[in-house]
Amino acid sequence: MSGLPFLFTNPALLAALVALPAIWWLLRMTPPRPQAEVFPPLRILARVLKREETPSKSPWWLTLLRMLMAALVILAIADPVMNPRVNTLSTGGPLVLVVDNGWASAEDWERRVETSGSLIDDAASRDLPVSIAFTADRDHNAAPESAEEARRRLAAARPQPLPTDHPATIAAIRTALAGTRPGTIAFVSDGMEGAGTPVMAELASLQPADLRVIGTEAGRPVALSAAANEANGLAVTATRLATAEAESLGVTAYDTRGRAIGEGRLDFAPGEGVARSTVTAPFELRNDFARLGINGNANAGATYLLDDGFRRRRVALLSGEARDMAQPLLSPLYYINRALAPFADLVAPEEPDLAKAVPALLEQKPSVLIMADIGRLPEEVYGPLESWIDNGGTLIRFAGPRLAAAPAEDPLVPVILRQGERALGGALSWAEPQPLADYPANSPFAGMPKPTDILVKRQVLAQPTADLADRTWASLADGTPLVTTRVQGQGRIVLFHVSAEATWSNLPISGSFVEMLRRTVQLARGGRVAAGNGEAARTLPPYRLLNADGVLTGETGGARPLEIAAGATPKATPDNPPGLYGSEDGFTALNLMERDAVLKPLTLTGLPIPYATAPLAGAETWSLKPWLLTAAMLLLILDGIIVLVMGGAFARLRAVTRPAARAATILAVAMLGAGLLAAPGIGLADDTKPGDDEILKRLDTTHLAYVVTGEAEVDRISERGLEGLTQFLTYRTTLEPGTPMGVDISKDELSFYPIIYWPVSASAPMPSAQAVSRIDAYMRAGGTVLFDTRDQISALGNSGGDSPNTERLQQILGNLDIPPLEPVPTDHVLTKSFYLLTSFPGRYSGSPLWIESQLDKQDGAADRPARSADGVSPIMITGNDLAGAWAIDEAGNPLLPTVPADENQREYAYRAGVNIMMYMLTGNYKADQVHIPALLERLGQ
């Protein structure tokens, strides 16, 4: 598509260049502006005899500058274009335009339309018919038509959230051409190879006079090909087309409201086209994942939809027998646990008593309850269990000696059972151990290969009934049921007629056992009602479909209902585009990419005829016009400056600026000399004291501080706690503290901080007498120390029952001159400095907050005497572990739980911290505010 490397869009305008000689003559004949002189007569007389005269013509270099400026303007108007597109279509036949409009073309679709439009324009200029075909459309109409009709079809075309169908497109082109040899075949490709024979080889087989492939360099598509909800997170697999370089992409999990609730990273190694990542999140949060998206990629391939089948189930396990853990292979739940651990979150009872264990398990809201060899349940358990099943729970039972001996009228079995067990093989049995029969079509096990190595030696038998076959998911070769089921309310009961361990059969030690359990569990209710019961082929209407930009919409258009057959995996087609099929109550996700699909680049080797490559429109051509006009403008500005200089406009300015420049030079030299003398070893003293920069940083912003105890975990909690309080202050108040600071009380300057948090630890070294003296001076100077023993102290001086941390606090306070203390009164400023509080909890809530006693304030007295430090207590003591309640990790999540676990208590702990900081920064300001009504009343008297 690229012809000459340089072309003028308006070459006729270049005729203006012949006027340059006339412009040269005019410029040479135009004298510069006469110089203006001030009138002083003596100065005029002094210059009368001067030989120098004003020139009558412009200098040659100025004329050359102006000629160059005029030439640039003429060239710019002629609009030179670099690497222009030239019409080189072959006239030997129609133009065949093949356009990839699959999911990978969504992000640069406009450029593809522009490129295709220019080719259609070229065909129109040569009166060539156009055969245009879009590779992702349902109907591949490639009949040759006029350029005008081709433009209309191109304007109506849109990218589709589908893979390209190259074989159907080539077949449509062959049918439309009917043996006619095409002139030019232009393939506007997304760079990916589709299914079947390589598309370029198929296009070359049409024997065109000219074969072109356009736009293969434009896209670097990346697609999500698989997702699985594993034990430690959601495993994601992605594939990319360009594999030469390493690439790291973010993948985000969104909920149904489009909120990002999980993140991971896809790291592609050089030369690798597949990458895997894990989006880690708690079990409950993972069940809220609705879709995955690759950051920075807005197309259907970079979006992966999740439905109920991806939600991880919580499975409760219950056994009728507790085996010795020294023999785990004999445990009824051993094989079930091993089979389901990768696919589900397993919970076990803490009580052996079934009357307590079953309700406790149901309180954890499991999706599935598995009971291994449990015969008769306590009477009070049946009601809650049946209610749980009616609400969508799935009960899976395994047979065993206890179930075989249970009464036949058990309501929690799917079929009527014969009492006792059936033995196959052995001295007292005529029958041989039985293998499995083929799985019926209405079974969720349909599509699984028939196991040939499984033999059943014992089983519980079902009474023959009219609907027994419909309730059977698997059976033995002799026709007796192996797995039966019954729907109850919104839930289901499933019974394996063999035991969960290998005494009755070798099913539990086979791979089929894992797949059968996984499929059964997946049918259970997850985060929402399941899309279907999985028993037979079903048809689901389109609910919400994915567009080419990767956005779910309610427009279903011409989409047809999705047919889901047992054992078959549906694929995205024009009749069934990617999206959600079903209803709001339950749906199935149909994704664009098949599981573990790999993107393949276009095959361009081994073609029988030569081909040419070209980029998309907008990438290969660019105009020099803006650059030429900019250069002409700069020359015009330069010409104006030269004219002003020649006219003497800057003569007076030079006279004024010379003394100023001279003075500035002298000052700069003096300052440089002073700087050299002040350098080390020169002789002048350095007035900047060490640490001044650090002091200015501390004074510029309020910082919360904590005492460094030397214990790593205590200091980490203190730092993260003050960081959490700092963020809370920033979000809730106008105070924006800086990063929390750890201080060594024995040597660091303490006066920078309004309050210092001291986590008392009995195992930390006892502070020296000098350090305690510095703390005492800090408190006398107006600072406050918040001591936190973190042990819920309830009184000071209480001997005998004190904790080690309290005893250490008493040792520290014994060396300090502290005032009398009292718990914070209900009317104290601390209770209303920002929030209205009645207590000051932390991780614990049992300890009061001790402050300086207000002994000078009488109850009910209106007057309050002035106090030192603006009424702020120099000491505060608590045992509630405030920093533990405030502490957060890097993501903003709490590090430690409150005792008891209550987020309201953590909120009040943060509010207590806010009140303490406001109290420290405002003093008795709030106390004065509450006296305003009394003061106004007195002024009125």
Side-chain angles (χ1 to χ4, degrees):
M1 285 190 59
S2 297
L4 299 176
F6 184 84
L7 181 69
F8 285 97
T9 305
N10 303 308
L13 294 176
L14 295 177
L17 292 175
V18 300
L20 288 180
I23 296 175
W24 172 276
W25 181 79
L26 290 174
L27 292 176
R28 290 288 294 170
M29 293 298 295
T30 303
R33 183 181 63 85
Q35 293 187 9
E37 294 284 355
V38 184
F39 181 67
L42 294 178
R43 187 180 181 98
I44 294 176
L45 293 176
R47 298 183 59 187
V48 167
L49 300 177
K50 192 170 183 180
R51 304 295 299 177
E52 184 179 351
E53 297 179 355
T54 300
S56 61
K57 299 179 181 179
S58 298
W60 67 269
W61 51 268
L62 181 59
T63 303
L64 182 60
L65 177 67
R66 293 173 176 174
M67 291 285 292
L68 178 59
M69 181 170 55
L72 289 176
V73 172
I74 294 173
L75 292 175
I77 296 175
D79 194 10
V81 176
M82 295 298 297
N83 201 21
R85 187 184 62 81
V86 180
N87 186 354
T88 58
L89 293 182
S90 173
T91 57
L95 167 66
V96 177
L97 185 56
V98 182
V99 182
D100 275 345
N101 65 329
W103 63 271
S105 64
E107 297 186 41
D108 55 2
W109 177 247
E110 296 302 325
R111 291 180 60 197
R112 296 178 182 276
V113 170
E114 182 181 353
T115 303
S116 303
S118 63
L119 289 169
I120 294 174
D121 293 341
D122 292 345
S125 66
R126 298 198 174 188
D127 198 19
L128 295 174
V130 179
S131 173
I132 183 169
F134 300 97
T135 60
D137 282 1
R138 176 187 280 113
D139 300 323
H140 300 280
N141 178 15
E145 54 199 358
S146 66
E148 172 112 11
E149 183 64 18
R151 283 196 202 95
R152 186 191 63 77
R153 289 185 56 199
L154 178 64
R158 293 292 181 270
Q160 302 296 323
L162 295 166
T164 56
D165 190 353
H166 291 155
T169 305
I170 299 299
I173 293 174
R174 290 184 186 277
T175 302
L177 293 179
T180 303
R181 182 179 179 183
T184 297
I185 294 182
F187 179 28
V188 184
S189 171
D190 58 16
M192 294 190 302
E193 190 68 74
T197 307
V199 61
M200 285 296 291
E202 290 289 334
L203 292 175
S205 67
L206 297 175
Q207 295 297 314
D210 178 24
L211 178 61
R212 305 177 187 178
V213 57
I214 304 170
T216 56
E217 85 300 335
R220 298 168 56 90
V222 182
L224 294 172
S225 58
N229 204 350
E230 297 180 348
N232 60 340
L234 188 69
V236 182
T237 305
T239 176
R240 63 171 178 167
L241 185 63
T243 61
E245 301 176 355
E247 189 174 11
S248 181
L249 299 172
V251 58
T252 303
Y254 302 90
D255 64 6
T256 54
R257 297 184 180 180
R259 298 172 298 189
I261 55 176
E263 293 182 346
R265 292 214 68 81
L266 292 164
D267 294 317
F268 291 92
E272 294 292 333
V274 177
R276 293 173 175 82
S277 176
T278 300
V279 181
T280 57
F283 161 73
E284 293 80 6
L285 197 60
R286 268 184 280 146
N287 277 353
D288 289 336
F289 289 175
R291 64 180 174 90
L292 303 172
I294 300 177
N295 300 345
N297 289 261
N299 58 66
T303 302
Y304 200 91
L305 303 176
L306 305 176
D307 56 16
D308 191 68
F310 288 89
R311 290 175 174 82
R312 194 173 177 87
R313 272 60 170 174
R314 174 169 289 169
V315 179
L317 304 178
L318 197 62
S319 173
E321 180 179 357
R323 294 282 187 179
D324 186 359
M325 292 310 296
Q327 296 179 328
L329 297 182
L330 300 180
S331 170
L333 296 180
Y334 175 78
Y335 299 101
I336 298 175
N337 198 310
R338 295 290 299 271
L340 290 180
F343 312 110
D345 289 273
L346 307 179
V347 293
E350 298 179 356
E351 290 281 345
D353 184 2
L354 293 180
K356 298 180 180 179
V358 173
L361 290 176
L362 295 183
E363 286 181 0
Q364 300 187 50
K365 299 180 179 179
S367 299
V368 179
L369 174 61
I370 297 181
M371 297 195 307
D373 190 21
I374 294 180
R376 183 184 296 274
L377 290 168
E379 195 65 31
E380 64 270 21
V381 171
Y382 283 96
L385 258 179
E386 290 181 343
S387 176
W388 172 76
I389 295 172
D390 290 338
N391 289 330
T394 297
L395 175 63
I396 302 177
R397 303 189 66 174
F398 283 86
R402 289 177 176 79
L403 182 62
E409 65 274 6
D410 189 345
L412 296 180
V413 292
V415 294
I416 302 174
L417 298 178
R418 292 181 179 178
Q419 197 160 10
E421 61 189 65
R422 175 197 184 197
L424 303 173
L428 300 180
S429 174
W430 294 97
E432 295 292 333
Q434 291 290 311
L436 269 63
D438 292 331
Y439 299 115
N442 66 339
S443 169
F445 310 145
M448 290 175 53
K450 175 186 175 181
T452 59
D453 55 347
I454 295 177
L455 292 177
V456 176
K457 297 181 292 185
R458 289 178 180 271
Q459 67 177 142
V460 292
L461 289 175
Q463 290 281 12
T465 58
D467 59 349
L468 181 59
D470 295 334
R471 296 188 181 187
T472 301
W473 278 358
S475 59
L476 302 183
D478 62 1
T480 56
L482 177 67
V483 182
T484 55
T485 184
R486 173 168 60 88
V487 175
Q488 178 173 318
Q490 298 184 27
R492 174 186 303 279
I493 301 175
V494 179
L495 173 63
F496 283 75
H497 290 239
V498 293
S499 64
E501 29 77 30
T503 57
W504 285 28
S505 73
N506 61 349
L507 174 65
I509 60 176
S510 69
S512 297
F513 184 71
V514 177
E515 183 64 15
M516 292 170 75
L517 271 184
R518 187 187 70 82
R519 293 194 180 196
T520 305
V521 168
Q522 285 300 105
L523 293 179
R525 179 179 180 139
R528 61 176 67 212
V529 177
N533 57 19
E535 292 184 355
R538 60 191 186 276
T539 302
L540 301 177
Y543 170 45
R544 300 184 68 191
L545 299 182
L546 204 65
N547 64 16
D549 296 325
V551 179
L552 277 174
T553 67
E555 299 179 4
T556 58
R560 298 179 180 178
L562 181 65
E563 298 284 346
I564 299 181
T569 302
K571 298 180 181 180
T573 64
D575 290 332
N576 296 121
L580 304 177
Y581 289 80
S583 64
E584 185 178 0
D585 294 331
F587 47 77
T588 293
L590 177 62
N591 285 291
L592 171 69
M593 305 297 295
E594 296 183 32
R595 184 173 185 83
D596 298 326
V598 177
L599 302 183
K600 298 179 181 179
L602 202 64
T603 303
L604 298 174
T605 58
L607 300 181
I609 61 174
Y611 69 93
T613 61
L616 294 176
E620 78 276 16
T621 62
W622 53 283
S623 174
L624 289 175
K625 184 176 182 178
W627 301 95
L628 294 176
L629 290 178
T630 301
M633 181 60 67
L634 293 176
L635 291 181
L636 179 62
I637 295 173
L638 178 61
D639 181 86
I641 295 174
I642 292 174
V643 170
L644 292 175
V645 171
M646 293 179 63
F650 297 106
R652 182 173 299 177
L653 181 60
R654 285 198 300 270
V656 173
T657 56
R658 283 173 185 167
R662 190 179 298 110
T665 303
I666 295 173
L667 179 60
V669 172
M671 293 177 65
L672 179 60
L676 292 174
L677 291 176
I682 300 300
L684 287 181
D686 186 3
D687 293 334
T688 303
K689 297 179 180 180
D692 281 357
D693 292 340
E694 189 66 23
I695 291 173
L696 291 175
K697 285 183 181 179
R698 303 292 174 89
L699 294 178
D700 182 60
T701 305
T702 300
H703 294 267
L704 308 185
Y706 63 93
V707 173
V708 177
T709 64
E711 295 185 337
E713 182 60 19
V714 174
D715 294 342
R716 184 179 76 89
I717 295 300
S718 298
E719 189 273 333
R720 297 313 304 169
L722 295 189
E723 175 62 26
L725 180 58
T726 295
Q727 293 186 16
F728 193 87
L729 285 165
T730 301
Y731 295 150
R732 298 292 182 90
T733 72
T734 57
L735 176 63
E736 297 182 3
T739 304
M741 299 290 181
V743 296
D744 185 346
I745 60 175
S746 63
K747 60 182 180 180
D748 289 342
E749 179 58 51
L750 307 179
S751 60
F752 298 145
Y753 312 105
I755 186 170
I756 298 177
Y757 176 78
W758 190 332
V760 180
S761 176
S763 56
M766 178 70 183
S768 63
Q770 179 186 2
V772 174
S773 177
R774 297 182 82 243
I775 284 291
D776 191 46
Y778 167 75
M779 295 167 62
R780 291 178 184 274
T784 296
V785 179
L786 173 56
F787 292 95
D788 194 342
T789 59
R790 300 166 294 130
D791 59 358
Q792 293 199 49
I793 59 172
S794 58
L796 294 176
N798 183 18
S799 60
D802 293 338
S803 69
N805 289 354
T806 302
E807 293 176 356
R808 173 56 61 86
L809 175 62
Q810 292 172 354
Q811 296 173 11
I812 295 173
L813 297 183
N815 298 322
L816 292 174
D817 183 16
I818 62 173
L821 303 177
E822 66 174 352
V824 175
T826 57
D827 62 343
H828 194 271
V829 181
L830 268 170
T831 65
K832 54 200 172 192
S833 59
F834 194 85
Y835 292 105
L836 296 178
L837 299 177
T838 58
S839 62
F840 298 84
R843 284 191 68 204
Y844 317 109
S845 60
S847 171
L849 178 65
W850 295 82
I851 60 172
E852 180 182 0
S853 176
Q854 299 180 349
L855 299 178
D856 51 0
K857 179 178 180 180
Q858 302 176 359
D859 294 339
D863 297 331
R864 176 176 48 79
R867 300 171 58 84
S868 61
D870 203 18
V872 176
S873 174
I875 183 172
M876 298 182 186
I877 300 176
T878 184
N880 285 336
D881 192 8
L882 292 174
W886 300 335
I888 60 174
D889 59 16
E890 298 297 335
N893 301 315
L895 285 179
L896 301 175
T898 60
V899 181
D902 184 4
E903 287 305 310
N904 288 333
Q905 180 174 323
R906 192 184 305 277
E907 173 70 17
Y908 280 106
Y910 278 118
R911 294 186 180 188
V914 172
N915 275 26
I916 291 172
M917 281 304 301
M918 294 303 171
Y919 170 63
M920 290 304 308
L921 297 176
T922 62
N924 58 14
Y925 164 75
K926 289 289 183 178
D928 291 338
Q929 295 302 302
V930 300
H931 290 285
I932 284 180
L935 295 175
L936 293 177
E937 183 179 355
R938 289 190 179 185
L939 291 174
Q941 292 176 355

